[in-house]
PDB file of all heavy atoms in Angstrom:
ATOM      1  N   ALA A 247       0.833  -1.204   0.000  1.00 97.00           N
ATOM      2  CA  ALA A 247       0.000   0.000   0.000  1.00 97.00           C
ATOM      3  C   ALA A 247       0.868   1.255   0.000  1.00 97.00           C
ATOM      4  O   ALA A 247       0.585   2.228  -0.714  1.00 97.00           O
ATOM      5  CB  ALA A 247      -0.925  -0.004   1.214  1.00 97.00           C
ATOM      6  N   ARG A 248       1.937   1.238   0.779  1.00 96.00           N
ATOM      7  CA  ARG A 248       2.874   2.371   0.783  1.00 96.00           C
ATOM      8  C   ARG A 248       3.517   2.546  -0.592  1.00 96.00           C
ATOM      9  O   ARG A 248       3.704   3.665  -1.078  1.00 96.00           O
ATOM     10  CB  ARG A 248       3.957   2.156   1.842  1.00 96.00           C
ATOM     11  CG  ARG A 248       3.467   2.281   3.276  1.00 96.00           C
ATOM     12  CD  ARG A 248       4.596   2.014   4.268  1.00 96.00           C
ATOM     13  NE  ARG A 248       4.119   2.039   5.631  1.00 96.00           N
ATOM     14  CZ  ARG A 248       3.955   3.150   6.362  1.00 96.00           C
ATOM     15  NH1 ARG A 248       4.247   4.324   5.824  1.00 96.00           N
ATOM     16  NH2 ARG A 248       3.506   3.085   7.599  1.00 96.00           N
ATOM     17  N   ARG A 249       3.859   1.419  -1.209  1.00 96.00           N
ATOM     18  CA  ARG A 249       4.487   1.461  -2.535  1.00 96.00           C
ATOM     19  C   ARG A 249       3.533   2.058  -3.571  1.00 96.00           C
ATOM     20  O   ARG A 249       3.926   2.889  -4.396  1.00 96.00           O
ATOM     21  CB  ARG A 249       4.906   0.042  -2.938  1.00 96.00           C
ATOM     22  CG  ARG A 249       5.580  -0.074  -4.279  1.00 96.00           C
ATOM     23  CD  ARG A 249       6.017  -1.517  -4.498  1.00 96.00           C
ATOM     24  NE  ARG A 249       6.474  -1.731  -5.858  1.00 96.00           N
ATOM     25  CZ  ARG A 249       6.836  -2.914  -6.347  1.00 96.00           C
ATOM     26  NH1 ARG A 249       6.803  -3.984  -5.560  1.00 96.00           N
ATOM     27  NH2 ARG A 249       7.234  -3.038  -7.604  1.00 96.00           N
ATOM     28  N   ALA A 250       2.268   1.641  -3.523  1.00 98.00           N
ATOM     29  CA  ALA A 250       1.283   2.167  -4.464  1.00 98.00           C
ATOM     30  C   ALA A 250       1.054   3.660  -4.240  1.00 98.00           C
ATOM     31  O   ALA A 250       0.959   4.440  -5.198  1.00 98.00           O
ATOM     32  CB  ALA A 250      -0.029   1.403  -4.322  1.00 98.00           C
ATOM     33  N   ALA A 251       0.956   4.049  -2.981  1.00 98.00           N
ATOM     34  CA  ALA A 251       0.757   5.467  -2.668  1.00 98.00           C
ATOM     35  C   ALA A 251       1.903   6.308  -3.227  1.00 98.00           C
ATOM     36  O   ALA A 251       1.680   7.390  -3.785  1.00 98.00           O
ATOM     37  CB  ALA A 251       0.637   5.649  -1.154  1.00 98.00           C
ATOM     38  N   LYS A 252       3.120   5.798  -3.094  1.00 97.00           N
ATOM     39  CA  LYS A 252       4.290   6.513  -3.620  1.00 97.00           C
ATOM     40  C   LYS A 252       4.197   6.660  -5.133  1.00 97.00           C
ATOM     41  O   LYS A 252       4.497   7.721  -5.691  1.00 97.00           O
ATOM     42  CB  LYS A 252       5.565   5.763  -3.231  1.00 97.00           C
ATOM     43  CG  LYS A 252       6.841   6.511  -3.564  1.00 97.00           C
ATOM     44  CD  LYS A 252       8.055   5.770  -3.018  1.00 97.00           C
ATOM     45  CE  LYS A 252       9.336   6.540  -3.312  1.00 97.00           C
ATOM     46  NZ  LYS A 252      10.531   5.824  -2.787  1.00 97.00           N
ATOM     47  N   GLU A 253       3.744   5.602  -5.821  1.00 98.00           N
ATOM     48  CA  GLU A 253       3.583   5.688  -7.280  1.00 98.00           C
ATOM     49  C   GLU A 253       2.507   6.691  -7.662  1.00 98.00           C
ATOM     50  O   GLU A 253       2.565   7.309  -8.731  1.00 98.00           O
ATOM     51  CB  GLU A 253       3.236   4.312  -7.856  1.00 98.00           C
ATOM     52  CG  GLU A 253       4.414   3.354  -7.936  1.00 98.00           C
ATOM     53  CD  GLU A 253       4.171   2.224  -8.911  1.00 98.00           C
ATOM     54  OE1 GLU A 253       3.616   2.480 -10.002  1.00 98.00           O
ATOM     55  OE2 GLU A 253       4.544   1.079  -8.590  1.00 98.00           O
ATOM     56  N   LEU A 254       1.529   6.863  -6.785  1.00 98.00           N
ATOM     57  CA  LEU A 254       0.463   7.835  -7.032  1.00 98.00           C
ATOM     58  C   LEU A 254       0.889   9.256  -6.688  1.00 98.00           C
ATOM     59  O   LEU A 254       0.133  10.208  -6.910  1.00 98.00           O
ATOM     60  CB  LEU A 254      -0.774   7.466  -6.203  1.00 98.00           C
ATOM     61  CG  LEU A 254      -1.530   6.201  -6.619  1.00 98.00           C
ATOM     62  CD1 LEU A 254      -2.512   5.799  -5.523  1.00 98.00           C
ATOM     63  CD2 LEU A 254      -2.264   6.418  -7.937  1.00 98.00           C
ATOM     64  N   GLY A 255       2.082   9.396  -6.115  1.00 98.00           N
ATOM     65  CA  GLY A 255       2.554  10.706  -5.695  1.00 98.00           C
ATOM     66  C   GLY A 255       1.915  11.180  -4.409  1.00 98.00           C
ATOM     67  O   GLY A 255       1.815  12.380  -4.154  1.00 98.00           O
ATOM     68  N   LYS A 256       1.477  10.230  -3.580  1.00 97.00           N
ATOM     69  CA  LYS A 256       0.825  10.560  -2.318  1.00 97.00           C
ATOM     70  C   LYS A 256       1.537   9.894  -1.162  1.00 97.00           C
ATOM     71  O   LYS A 256       2.326   8.970  -1.340  1.00 97.00           O
ATOM     72  CB  LYS A 256      -0.633  10.058  -2.327  1.00 97.00           C
ATOM     73  CG  LYS A 256      -1.555  10.736  -3.303  1.00 97.00           C
ATOM     74  CD  LYS A 256      -2.980  10.256  -3.066  1.00 97.00           C
ATOM     75  CE  LYS A 256      -3.978  11.090  -3.854  1.00 97.00           C
ATOM     76  NZ  LYS A 256      -5.367  10.807  -3.453  1.00 97.00           N
ATOM     77  N   LYS A 257       1.213  10.342   0.046  1.00 97.00           N
ATOM     78  CA  LYS A 257       1.594   9.618   1.240  1.00 97.00           C
ATOM     79  C   LYS A 257       0.558   8.523   1.474  1.00 97.00           C
ATOM     80  O   LYS A 257      -0.616   8.675   1.104  1.00 97.00           O
ATOM     81  CB  LYS A 257       1.649  10.545   2.456  1.00 97.00           C
ATOM     82  CG  LYS A 257       2.754  11.585   2.404  1.00 97.00           C
ATOM     83  CD  LYS A 257       2.737  12.443   3.663  1.00 97.00           C
ATOM     84  CE  LYS A 257       3.849  13.475   3.637  1.00 97.00           C
ATOM     85  NZ  LYS A 257       3.829  14.332   4.853  1.00 97.00           N
ATOM     86  N   TYR A 258       0.995   7.439   2.090  1.00 97.00           N
ATOM     87  CA  TYR A 258       0.065   6.366   2.427  1.00 97.00           C
ATOM     88  C   TYR A 258      -1.072   6.908   3.288  1.00 97.00           C
ATOM     89  O   TYR A 258      -2.235   6.536   3.109  1.00 97.00           O
ATOM     90  CB  TYR A 258       0.829   5.258   3.152  1.00 97.00           C
ATOM     91  CG  TYR A 258      -0.023   4.141   3.725  1.00 97.00           C
ATOM     92  CD1 TYR A 258      -0.991   3.495   2.956  1.00 97.00           C
ATOM     93  CD2 TYR A 258       0.148   3.729   5.040  1.00 97.00           C
ATOM     94  CE1 TYR A 258      -1.768   2.471   3.481  1.00 97.00           C
ATOM     95  CE2 TYR A 258      -0.611   2.691   5.575  1.00 97.00           C
ATOM     96  CZ  TYR A 258      -1.579   2.070   4.791  1.00 97.00           C
ATOM     97  OH  TYR A 258      -2.336   1.056   5.322  1.00 97.00           O
ATOM     98  N   GLU A 259      -0.739   7.821   4.182  1.00 97.00           N
ATOM     99  CA  GLU A 259      -1.727   8.387   5.112  1.00 97.00           C
ATOM    100  C   GLU A 259      -2.716   9.322   4.406  1.00 97.00           C
ATOM    101  O   GLU A 259      -3.670   9.803   5.036  1.00 97.00           O
ATOM    102  CB  GLU A 259      -1.019   9.121   6.239  1.00 97.00           C
ATOM    103  CG  GLU A 259      -0.226   8.229   7.171  1.00 97.00           C
ATOM    104  CD  GLU A 259       1.092   7.727   6.581  1.00 97.00           C
ATOM    105  OE1 GLU A 259       1.552   8.296   5.563  1.00 97.00           O
ATOM    106  OE2 GLU A 259       1.661   6.766   7.135  1.00 97.00           O
ATOM    107  N   GLU A 260      -2.513   9.568   3.123  1.00 98.00           N
ATOM    108  CA  GLU A 260      -3.430  10.420   2.345  1.00 98.00           C
ATOM    109  C   GLU A 260      -4.225   9.611   1.315  1.00 98.00           C
ATOM    110  O   GLU A 260      -5.003  10.179   0.556  1.00 98.00           O
ATOM    111  CB  GLU A 260      -2.640  11.501   1.602  1.00 98.00           C
ATOM    112  CG  GLU A 260      -1.844  12.432   2.493  1.00 98.00           C
ATOM    113  CD  GLU A 260      -0.879  13.327   1.710  1.00 98.00           C
ATOM    114  OE1 GLU A 260      -0.557  12.997   0.544  1.00 98.00           O
ATOM    115  OE2 GLU A 260      -0.456  14.353   2.271  1.00 98.00           O
ATOM    116  N   SER A 261      -4.032   8.292   1.315  1.00 98.00           N
ATOM    117  CA  SER A 261      -4.542   7.468   0.220  1.00 98.00           C
ATOM    118  C   SER A 261      -5.752   6.629   0.615  1.00 98.00           C
ATOM    119  O   SER A 261      -5.952   6.308   1.785  1.00 98.00           O
ATOM    120  CB  SER A 261      -3.432   6.540  -0.282  1.00 98.00           C
ATOM    121  OG  SER A 261      -2.302   7.289  -0.697  1.00 98.00           O
ATOM    122  N   ARG A 262      -6.536   6.278  -0.423  1.00 98.00           N
ATOM    123  CA  ARG A 262      -7.686   5.391  -0.278  1.00 98.00           C
ATOM    124  C   ARG A 262      -7.443   4.210  -1.228  1.00 98.00           C
ATOM    125  O   ARG A 262      -7.512   4.366  -2.453  1.00 98.00           O
ATOM    126  CB  ARG A 262      -8.979   6.127  -0.644  1.00 98.00           C
ATOM    127  CG  ARG A 262      -9.194   7.420   0.147  1.00 98.00           C
ATOM    128  CD  ARG A 262     -10.322   8.248  -0.438  1.00 98.00           C
ATOM    129  NE  ARG A 262     -11.622   7.619  -0.282  1.00 98.00           N
ATOM    130  CZ  ARG A 262     -12.472   7.895   0.707  1.00 98.00           C
ATOM    131  NH1 ARG A 262     -12.152   8.787   1.639  1.00 98.00           N
ATOM    132  NH2 ARG A 262     -13.632   7.291   0.777  1.00 98.00           N
ATOM    133  N   LEU A 263      -7.164   3.038  -0.656  1.00 98.00           N
ATOM    134  CA  LEU A 263      -6.708   1.898  -1.447  1.00 98.00           C
ATOM    135  C   LEU A 263      -7.457   0.627  -1.056  1.00 98.00           C
ATOM    136  O   LEU A 263      -7.880   0.472   0.096  1.00 98.00           O
ATOM    137  CB  LEU A 263      -5.206   1.667  -1.225  1.00 98.00           C
ATOM    138  CG  LEU A 263      -4.272   2.864  -1.439  1.00 98.00           C
ATOM    139  CD1 LEU A 263      -2.912   2.590  -0.811  1.00 98.00           C
ATOM    140  CD2 LEU A 263      -4.113   3.146  -2.923  1.00 98.00           C
ATOM    141  N   VAL A 264      -7.585  -0.280  -2.009  1.00 98.00           N
ATOM    142  CA  VAL A 264      -8.025  -1.643  -1.719  1.00 98.00           C
ATOM    143  C   VAL A 264      -6.868  -2.564  -2.087  1.00 98.00           C
ATOM    144  O   VAL A 264      -6.360  -2.508  -3.208  1.00 98.00           O
ATOM    145  CB  VAL A 264      -9.290  -2.029  -2.506  1.00 98.00           C
ATOM    146  CG1 VAL A 264      -9.641  -3.501  -2.261  1.00 98.00           C
ATOM    147  CG2 VAL A 264     -10.456  -1.139  -2.120  1.00 98.00           C
ATOM    148  N   VAL A 265      -6.443  -3.376  -1.130  1.00 98.00           N
ATOM    149  CA  VAL A 265      -5.299  -4.270  -1.344  1.00 98.00           C
ATOM    150  C   VAL A 265      -5.764  -5.716  -1.223  1.00 98.00           C
ATOM    151  O   VAL A 265      -6.415  -6.087  -0.232  1.00 98.00           O
ATOM    152  CB  VAL A 265      -4.173  -3.998  -0.322  1.00 98.00           C
ATOM    153  CG1 VAL A 265      -2.980  -4.917  -0.595  1.00 98.00           C
ATOM    154  CG2 VAL A 265      -3.738  -2.538  -0.382  1.00 98.00           C
ATOM    155  N   ALA A 266      -5.433  -6.517  -2.238  1.00 98.00           N
ATOM    156  CA  ALA A 266      -5.763  -7.940  -2.231  1.00 98.00           C
ATOM    157  C   ALA A 266      -4.470  -8.750  -2.198  1.00 98.00           C
ATOM    158  O   ALA A 266      -3.676  -8.690  -3.143  1.00 98.00           O
ATOM    159  CB  ALA A 266      -6.583  -8.306  -3.468  1.00 98.00           C
ATOM    160  N   HIS A 267      -4.259  -9.467  -1.108  1.00 96.00           N
ATOM    161  CA  HIS A 267      -3.099 -10.351  -0.967  1.00 96.00           C
ATOM    162  C   HIS A 267      -3.545 -11.761  -1.342  1.00 96.00           C
ATOM    163  O   HIS A 267      -4.427 -12.338  -0.703  1.00 96.00           O
ATOM    164  CB  HIS A 267      -2.565 -10.324   0.464  1.00 96.00           C
ATOM    165  CG  HIS A 267      -1.455 -11.297   0.705  1.00 96.00           C
ATOM    166  ND1 HIS A 267      -0.138 -10.901   0.819  1.00 96.00           N
ATOM    167  CD2 HIS A 267      -1.461 -12.647   0.843  1.00 96.00           C
ATOM    168  CE1 HIS A 267       0.609 -11.980   1.022  1.00 96.00           C
ATOM    169  NE2 HIS A 267      -0.177 -13.052   1.030  1.00 96.00           N
ATOM    170  N   LEU A 268      -2.909 -12.321  -2.367  1.00 96.00           N
ATOM    171  CA  LEU A 268      -3.295 -13.631  -2.887  1.00 96.00           C
ATOM    172  C   LEU A 268      -2.185 -14.636  -2.625  1.00 96.00           C
ATOM    173  O   LEU A 268      -1.150 -14.635  -3.299  1.00 96.00           O
ATOM    174  CB  LEU A 268      -3.560 -13.543  -4.399  1.00 96.00           C
ATOM    175  CG  LEU A 268      -4.416 -12.370  -4.891  1.00 96.00           C
ATOM    176  CD1 LEU A 268      -4.549 -12.416  -6.407  1.00 96.00           C
ATOM    177  CD2 LEU A 268      -5.788 -12.383  -4.226  1.00 96.00           C
ATOM    178  N   GLY A 269      -2.396 -15.510  -1.639  1.00 92.00           N
ATOM    179  CA  GLY A 269      -1.424 -16.547  -1.325  1.00 92.00           C
ATOM    180  C   GLY A 269      -2.161 -17.810  -0.925  1.00 92.00           C
ATOM    181  O   GLY A 269      -3.258 -18.083  -1.410  1.00 92.00           O
ATOM    182  N   GLY A 270      -1.555 -18.611  -0.025  1.00 90.00           N
ATOM    183  CA  GLY A 270      -2.243 -19.790   0.495  1.00 90.00           C
ATOM    184  C   GLY A 270      -3.550 -19.398   1.149  1.00 90.00           C
ATOM    185  O   GLY A 270      -4.549 -20.108   1.095  1.00 90.00           O
ATOM    186  N   GLY A 271      -3.550 -18.214   1.799  1.00 91.00           N
ATOM    187  CA  GLY A 271      -4.759 -17.548   2.273  1.00 91.00           C
ATOM    188  C   GLY A 271      -4.914 -16.259   1.489  1.00 91.00           C
ATOM    189  O   GLY A 271      -3.942 -15.727   0.941  1.00 91.00           O
ATOM    190  N   ILE A 272      -6.119 -15.757   1.410  1.00 95.00           N
ATOM    191  CA  ILE A 272      -6.384 -14.523   0.660  1.00 95.00           C
ATOM    192  C   ILE A 272      -7.010 -13.504   1.598  1.00 95.00           C
ATOM    193  O   ILE A 272      -7.972 -13.811   2.310  1.00 95.00           O
ATOM    194  CB  ILE A 272      -7.319 -14.791  -0.534  1.00 95.00           C
ATOM    195  CG1 ILE A 272      -6.570 -15.609  -1.603  1.00 95.00           C
ATOM    196  CG2 ILE A 272      -7.840 -13.485  -1.133  1.00 95.00           C
ATOM    197  CD1 ILE A 272      -7.432 -16.027  -2.785  1.00 95.00           C
ATOM    198  N   SER A 273      -6.437 -12.299   1.630  1.00 96.00           N
ATOM    199  CA  SER A 273      -7.031 -11.217   2.415  1.00 96.00           C
ATOM    200  C   SER A 273      -7.206  -9.995   1.528  1.00 96.00           C
ATOM    201  O   SER A 273      -6.356  -9.678   0.701  1.00 96.00           O
ATOM    202  CB  SER A 273      -6.164 -10.863   3.634  1.00 96.00           C
ATOM    203  OG  SER A 273      -4.886 -10.387   3.249  1.00 96.00           O
ATOM    204  N   VAL A 274      -8.346  -9.328   1.694  1.00 98.00           N
ATOM    205  CA  VAL A 274      -8.651  -8.110   0.948  1.00 98.00           C
ATOM    206  C   VAL A 274      -8.996  -7.032   1.966  1.00 98.00           C
ATOM    207  O   VAL A 274      -9.872  -7.237   2.818  1.00 98.00           O
ATOM    208  CB  VAL A 274      -9.820  -8.316  -0.032  1.00 98.00           C
ATOM    209  CG1 VAL A 274     -10.070  -7.042  -0.844  1.00 98.00           C
ATOM    210  CG2 VAL A 274      -9.547  -9.499  -0.967  1.00 98.00           C
ATOM    211  N   GLY A 275      -8.286  -5.906   1.906  1.00 98.00           N
ATOM    212  CA  GLY A 275      -8.469  -4.864   2.904  1.00 98.00           C
ATOM    213  C   GLY A 275      -8.754  -3.507   2.305  1.00 98.00           C
ATOM    214  O   GLY A 275      -8.264  -3.167   1.224  1.00 98.00           O
ATOM    215  N   ALA A 276      -9.565  -2.727   3.016  1.00 98.00           N
ATOM    216  CA  ALA A 276      -9.843  -1.338   2.654  1.00 98.00           C
ATOM    217  C   ALA A 276      -8.925  -0.436   3.472  1.00 98.00           C
ATOM    218  O   ALA A 276      -9.032  -0.384   4.704  1.00 98.00           O
ATOM    219  CB  ALA A 276     -11.305  -1.006   2.927  1.00 98.00           C
ATOM    220  N   HIS A 277      -8.014   0.265   2.809  1.00 98.00           N
ATOM    221  CA  HIS A 277      -7.031   1.134   3.466  1.00 98.00           C
ATOM    222  C   HIS A 277      -7.490   2.583   3.319  1.00 98.00           C
ATOM    223  O   HIS A 277      -7.520   3.127   2.214  1.00 98.00           O
ATOM    224  CB  HIS A 277      -5.653   0.973   2.821  1.00 98.00           C
ATOM    225  CG  HIS A 277      -5.054  -0.386   2.989  1.00 98.00           C
ATOM    226  ND1 HIS A 277      -3.816  -0.588   3.567  1.00 98.00           N
ATOM    227  CD2 HIS A 277      -5.504  -1.626   2.637  1.00 98.00           C
ATOM    228  CE1 HIS A 277      -3.534  -1.881   3.569  1.00 98.00           C
ATOM    229  NE2 HIS A 277      -4.539  -2.527   3.005  1.00 98.00           N
ATOM    230  N   LEU A 278      -7.827   3.195   4.430  1.00 98.00           N
ATOM    231  CA  LEU A 278      -8.304   4.578   4.423  1.00 98.00           C
ATOM    232  C   LEU A 278      -7.347   5.446   5.226  1.00 98.00           C
ATOM    233  O   LEU A 278      -7.266   5.332   6.458  1.00 98.00           O
ATOM    234  CB  LEU A 278      -9.718   4.654   5.015  1.00 98.00           C
ATOM    235  CG  LEU A 278     -10.325   6.058   5.110  1.00 98.00           C
ATOM    236  CD1 LEU A 278     -10.516   6.662   3.717  1.00 98.00           C
ATOM    237  CD2 LEU A 278     -11.659   6.012   5.852  1.00 98.00           C
TER     238      LEU A 278
END
């Protein structure tokens, strides 16, 4: 999420993101 925010030219603390981690388990989170 921090990496994506940086690519967007924002701070993570200023971003609204949905992150999907796909592994043996899958988690999807709303980052506000």
Side-chain angles (χ1 to χ4, degrees):
R248 289 178 184 277
R249 180 176 171 184
K252 188 174 182 180
E253 284 200 41
L254 291 167
K256 293 187 170 190
K257 293 181 179 179
Y258 173 50
E259 293 75 16
E260 300 170 341
S261 303
R262 305 168 68 96
L263 307 164
V264 175
V265 182
H267 175 105
L268 314 179
I272 290 175
S273 62
V274 183
H277 295 236
L278 178 64

